[in-house]
Amino acid sequence: MCVFCKIIAGEIPSTKVYEDEEMIVIKDIEPKAKCHYLCIPKEHFALLAEMDDERAEIVKHCLAKLPMLRKELGLENGYRLVINQGEDAGQTVHHLHIHVLGGETLPW
Ligand code: AMP
Ligand code: ZN
């Protein structure tokens, strides 16, 4: 089981800030910005290239839900979403996740 599947299963601890049937949002353990969250679909798949209709609905749900959470996550002033895909992007966890960065003016 991958590290995010273990977090979703409650087998390893995380700082969870939101959960519903499709996804969880946790704090990244190595924050790259003042606020750095990971939005993680509960279904395990690694890449957008593995998308099908059901997974597209899950990703759509994540993208629709995140703006609703922005106040409680301290992101009212803006935020950046990043999805690393594969080696050149430095993807280290092969379970699709959306980085959510903000809480300050980001450097680029
Ligand atoms: P990526 O490089 O896009 O695959 O991002 C993986 C992210 O997961 C990195 O920013 C890590 O800091 C983060 N990460 C890895 N393990 C954990 C964990 N146990 N809890 C929270 N974040 C994690
Ligand atoms: Zn997984």
Side-chain angles (χ1 to χ4, degrees), residues 2 4-5 44 95:
C2 87
F4 290 168
C5 282
H44 178 101
H95 179 137

mmCIF file of all heavy atoms in Angstrom, residues 2 4-5 44 95, ligand 2:
data_model
loop_
_atom_site.group_PDB
_atom_site.id
_atom_site.type_symbol
_atom_site.label_atom_id
_atom_site.label_comp_id
_atom_site.label_asym_id
_atom_site.label_seq_id
_atom_site.Cartn_x
_atom_site.Cartn_y
_atom_site.Cartn_z
ATOM 1 N N CYS A 2 0.523 2.257 -0.767
ATOM 2 C CA CYS A 2 1.347 3.466 -0.825
ATOM 3 C C CYS A 2 1.087 4.334 0.416
ATOM 4 O O CYS A 2 0.132 4.123 1.160
ATOM 5 C CB CYS A 2 1.078 4.248 -2.119
ATOM 6 S SG CYS A 2 -0.279 5.421 -2.038
ATOM 7 N N PHE A 4 0.029 7.324 0.844
ATOM 8 C CA PHE A 4 -1.244 8.056 0.929
ATOM 9 C C PHE A 4 -2.410 7.095 1.177
ATOM 10 O O PHE A 4 -3.349 7.442 1.898
ATOM 11 C CB PHE A 4 -1.474 8.916 -0.318
ATOM 12 C CG PHE A 4 -0.550 10.114 -0.416
ATOM 13 C CD1 PHE A 4 -0.459 10.842 -1.597
ATOM 14 C CD2 PHE A 4 0.227 10.527 0.665
ATOM 15 C CE1 PHE A 4 0.377 11.942 -1.695
ATOM 16 C CE2 PHE A 4 1.070 11.622 0.574
ATOM 17 C CZ PHE A 4 1.155 12.335 -0.604
ATOM 18 N N CYS A 5 -2.356 5.887 0.596
ATOM 19 C CA CYS A 5 -3.383 4.888 0.918
ATOM 20 C C CYS A 5 -3.342 4.537 2.403
ATOM 21 O O CYS A 5 -4.390 4.354 3.036
ATOM 22 C CB CYS A 5 -3.206 3.635 0.063
ATOM 23 S SG CYS A 5 -3.821 3.846 -1.636
ATOM 24 N N HIS A 44 -6.809 5.030 -5.379
ATOM 25 C CA HIS A 44 -5.393 5.033 -5.769
ATOM 26 C C HIS A 44 -5.240 4.970 -7.286
ATOM 27 O O HIS A 44 -5.649 4.006 -7.922
ATOM 28 C CB HIS A 44 -4.654 3.838 -5.143
ATOM 29 C CG HIS A 44 -3.219 3.776 -5.558
ATOM 30 N ND1 HIS A 44 -2.191 4.208 -4.752
ATOM 31 C CD2 HIS A 44 -2.645 3.392 -6.723
ATOM 32 C CE1 HIS A 44 -1.056 4.074 -5.410
ATOM 33 N NE2 HIS A 44 -1.301 3.582 -6.610
ATOM 34 N N HIS A 95 0.594 8.332 -6.104
ATOM 35 C CA HIS A 95 -0.854 8.338 -5.841
ATOM 36 C C HIS A 95 -1.254 9.779 -6.121
ATOM 37 O O HIS A 95 -0.736 10.704 -5.462
ATOM 38 C CB HIS A 95 -1.094 7.930 -4.384
ATOM 39 C CG HIS A 95 -2.530 7.908 -3.953
ATOM 40 N ND1 HIS A 95 -3.062 6.890 -3.185
ATOM 41 C CD2 HIS A 95 -3.535 8.810 -4.121
ATOM 42 C CE1 HIS A 95 -4.339 7.154 -2.934
ATOM 43 N NE2 HIS A 95 -4.644 8.326 -3.481
HETATM 44 ZN ZN ZN B 2 -2.245 5.019 -2.865
#
